[in-house]
């Protein structure tokens, strides 16, 4: 009689992990939320009673993206710090970030200018401001840049990329001389979290409503720092951090339930207006939204860091090949979706001619056009350019002087 073979147990993520496969799924979900958010704003669905409030709060996906970046980019530095290595290479880091961000963004700008006509570049100054990603610091409401307004968060990402190696350099030096390495790393990230929330609170209480400075670093650093805090906890292989990880990964349904509850609270629980970017919001509402978004971002990504990574329907969904592929091309989806939403809604006036339910069909069309453009961008622009990572400056990790 043939002996039965017991199924293998679900595999958890450990402190030595270098790849977190659910994170492409997280990117896919966050990118999908951004598409729905901007589709709703294009046609006024974010002003609907009931569901409009939910559509308007799908910008919760931006803090999720920031927390993902904080976790994935800082974790290799933490591993180096805690293992006593000093292999920071500024040139290699910046070269890889440049290849990941700039070419696809430049392609978007060229398309928005020449194909969609959603922005206007009249002279060299305009070109430098636009291609150099300086326009968010000129005021995000400036009419000239409204056609690419939805990628304002990219400037925040780039600012974080520029600052992170310097932070890692300072903390690498401090941790190397400390007997309490993990505690010091956790303290540094905690200071960034508290400091970011404090700066944001100060800005919303002292600056005019909707001041662009609330959407620059350091006012957004708290979301990256929350990801960095999770990176330290996951990389530190101590009894305490293992116990914390075990608790956090034990109930993914609870974690995602907390994230959903925070989204519902911001949509319907704290009185935020919706349907207009220019609505007056009380500073207390601004700050409550920021805190809830931070909690949601952490709760959303925690199940991809701890716990069995192939157990449960949600994790299996996030691991699905189609979802993973969408997450892989999600950067280009993020870049291009609003161009297509604007073209379909206002350029071709498709929305007004659609049958009921118009909004669902409109969103489906935007997804189709954005995914097709993103697939072309990924396979013919981004992936070939990313192959240059190994041939650019700092192609080998070398010890820091």
């Amino acid at each position: 009689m043939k002996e039965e073979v017991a199924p293998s147990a679900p595999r958890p993520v450990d402190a030595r992990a270098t790849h977190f496969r659910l994170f492409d799924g997280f990117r896919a979900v966050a990118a999908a939320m951004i598409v729905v958010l901007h589709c709703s704003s294009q046609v006024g669905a974010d002003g609907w009673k009931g569901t409009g409030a939910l559509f308007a709060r799908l910008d919760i996906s931006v803090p999720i993206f920031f927390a993902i970046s904080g976790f994935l980019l800082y974790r290799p530095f933490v591993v180096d710090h805690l293992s006593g290595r000093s292999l920071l290479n500024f040139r290699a880091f910046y070269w890889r970030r440049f290849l990941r961000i700039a070419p696809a963004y430049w392609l978007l700008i060229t398309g928005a200018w020449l194909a969609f006509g959603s922005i206007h570049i009249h002279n060299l100054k305009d070109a430098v401001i636009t291609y150099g990603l300086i326009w968010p610091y000129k005021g995000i409401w400036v009419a000239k840049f409204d056609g690419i307004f939805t990628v304002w968060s990219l400037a925040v990402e780039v600012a974080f990329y520029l600052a992170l190696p310097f932070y890692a350099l300072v903390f690498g030096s401090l941790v190397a001389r400390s007997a309490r390495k993990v505690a010091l790393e956790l303290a540094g990230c905690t200071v960034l979290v508290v400091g970011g929330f404090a700066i944001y609170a100060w800005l919303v209480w002292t600056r005019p409503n909707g001041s662009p400075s609330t959407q620059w670093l350091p006012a957004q650093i708290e979301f990256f720092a929350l990801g960095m805090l999770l990176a330290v906890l996951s990389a530190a292989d101590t009894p305490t951090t293992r116990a914390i990880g075990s608790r956090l990964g034990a109930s993914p349904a609870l974690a995602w339930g907390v994230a959903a509850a925070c989204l519902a609270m911001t949509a319907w629980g704290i009185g935020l207006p919706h349907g207009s970017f220019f609505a007056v919001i009380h500073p207390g509402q601004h700050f409550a939204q920021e805190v809830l978004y931070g909690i949601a971002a952490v709760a959303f990504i925690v199940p991809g860091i701890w716990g069995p990574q192939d157990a449960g329907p949600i994790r299996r969904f996030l691991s699905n090949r189609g979802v993973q592929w969408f997450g892989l091309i999600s950067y280009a989806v993020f870049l291009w979706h609003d161009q297509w939403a604007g073209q379909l809604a206002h350029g071709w006036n498709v929305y007004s001619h659609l049958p009921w339910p118009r909004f669902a069909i409109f969103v489906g069309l935007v997804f189709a056009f954005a995914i097709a453009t993103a697939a072309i961008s990924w396979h013919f622009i981004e992936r070939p350019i990313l192959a240059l990572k190994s041939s650019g400056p700092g192609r080998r990790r070398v010890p820091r002087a």
Side-chain angles (χ1 to χ4, degrees):
M1 182 170 151
K2 189 175 180 179
E3 185 179 350
E4 288 189 11
V5 179
S8 58
R11 291 166 295 175
V13 172
D14 62 27
R16 298 182 299 277
T18 58
H19 176 67
F20 297 83
R21 61 178 178 166
L22 295 191
F23 274 65
D24 273 335
F26 293 154
R27 291 190 185 99
V29 173
M33 288 195 290
I34 286 180
V35 173
V36 176
L37 164 71
H38 293 140
C39 285
S40 70
S41 65
Q42 285 282 1
V43 299
D46 58 347
W48 292 351
K49 185 177 181 180
T51 56
L54 178 63
F55 293 149
R57 300 284 80 82
L58 292 180
D59 60 347
I60 198 171
S61 50
V62 175
I64 290 172
F65 272 123
F66 289 167
I68 288 173
S69 291
F71 176 83
L72 292 178
L73 292 179
Y74 190 55
R75 197 174 188 280
F77 293 125
V78 176
V79 172
D80 280 358
H81 296 169
L82 299 182
S83 62
R85 296 193 298 265
S86 299
L87 301 176
L88 177 61
N89 189 319
F90 277 68
R91 289 191 303 165
F93 180 85
Y94 290 139
W95 175 244
R96 290 165 184 161
R97 292 297 94 204
F98 171 80
L99 293 178
R100 187 67 192 98
I101 296 299
Y105 170 72
W106 290 344
L107 182 64
L108 165 73
I109 296 304
T110 305
W113 173 28
L114 300 178
F116 291 93
S118 54
I119 59 171
H120 304 285
I121 299 175
H122 300 293
N123 49 48
L124 180 60
K125 179 182 177 182
D126 285 350
V128 170
I129 289 172
T130 310
Y131 281 90
L133 200 57
I134 302 170
W135 59 268
Y137 303 105
K138 302 290 289 183
I140 60 174
W141 306 113
V142 176
K144 187 183 297 183
F145 306 110
D146 270 357
I148 52 172
F149 158 68
T150 55
V151 298
W152 65 268
S153 58
L154 193 57
V156 185
E157 283 271 0
V158 170
F160 174 70
Y161 299 161
L162 292 173
L164 181 62
F166 291 95
Y167 177 88
L169 178 66
V170 170
F171 261 79
S173 301
L174 294 175
V175 168
R177 298 192 297 266
S178 174
R180 304 186 64 187
K181 300 180 186 298
V182 176
L184 186 58
E185 286 279 7
L186 291 173
C189 295
T190 302
V191 168
L192 289 180
V193 172
V194 175
F197 279 121
I199 291 169
Y200 187 88
W202 175 73
L203 287 172
V204 296
W205 256 282
T206 60
R207 301 293 176 90
N209 184 68
S211 172
S213 57
T214 61
Q215 294 176 296
W216 305 336
L217 288 187
Q220 297 285 313
I221 193 62
E222 60 272 17
F223 300 129
F224 295 101
L226 286 167
M228 293 165 65
L229 195 62
L230 294 177
V232 176
L233 288 172
S234 72
D237 194 15
T238 68
T240 301
T241 57
R242 285 196 297 271
I244 293 172
S246 177
R247 286 177 176 270
L248 291 173
S251 180
L254 176 61
W256 284 316
V258 169
C262 289
L263 174 59
M265 183 65 70
T266 57
W268 300 294
I270 57 176
L272 287 170
H274 57 94
S276 173
F277 283 119
F278 299 98
V280 176
I281 302 176
H282 187 273
Q285 292 173 308
H286 260 306
F287 186 69
Q289 178 185 23
E290 196 81 350
V291 172
L292 287 168
Y293 278 8
I295 296 171
V298 169
F300 185 75
I301 68 174
V302 154
I305 303 172
W306 292 283
Q309 296 297 283
D310 47 5
I314 298 180
R315 282 178 170 140
R316 285 196 293 270
F317 168 77
L318 293 171
S319 299
N320 176 272
R321 183 176 296 180
V323 175
Q324 291 275 306
W325 180 79
F326 184 70
L328 187 67
I329 66 167
S330 61
Y331 175 48
V333 170
F334 162 73
L335 291 175
W336 286 97
H337 75 279
D338 199 53
Q339 300 299 315
W340 285 115
Q343 182 66 34
L344 288 164
H346 309 298
W348 297 338
N349 202 25
V350 167
Y351 183 73
S352 63
H353 296 94
L354 290 173
W356 185 91
R358 288 191 298 174
F359 183 64
I361 299 172
F362 174 71
V363 172
L365 288 172
V366 172
F367 266 108
F369 278 93
I371 289 172
T373 310
I376 294 170
S377 174
W378 169 253
H379 288 286
F380 296 102
I381 304 295
E382 296 170 68
R383 189 168 67 174
I385 288 176
L386 288 172
L388 301 175
K389 280 183 176 182
S390 60
S391 60
R395 54 188 176 274
R396 291 179 301 173
R397 293 187 84 199
V398 296
R400 188 174 64 214

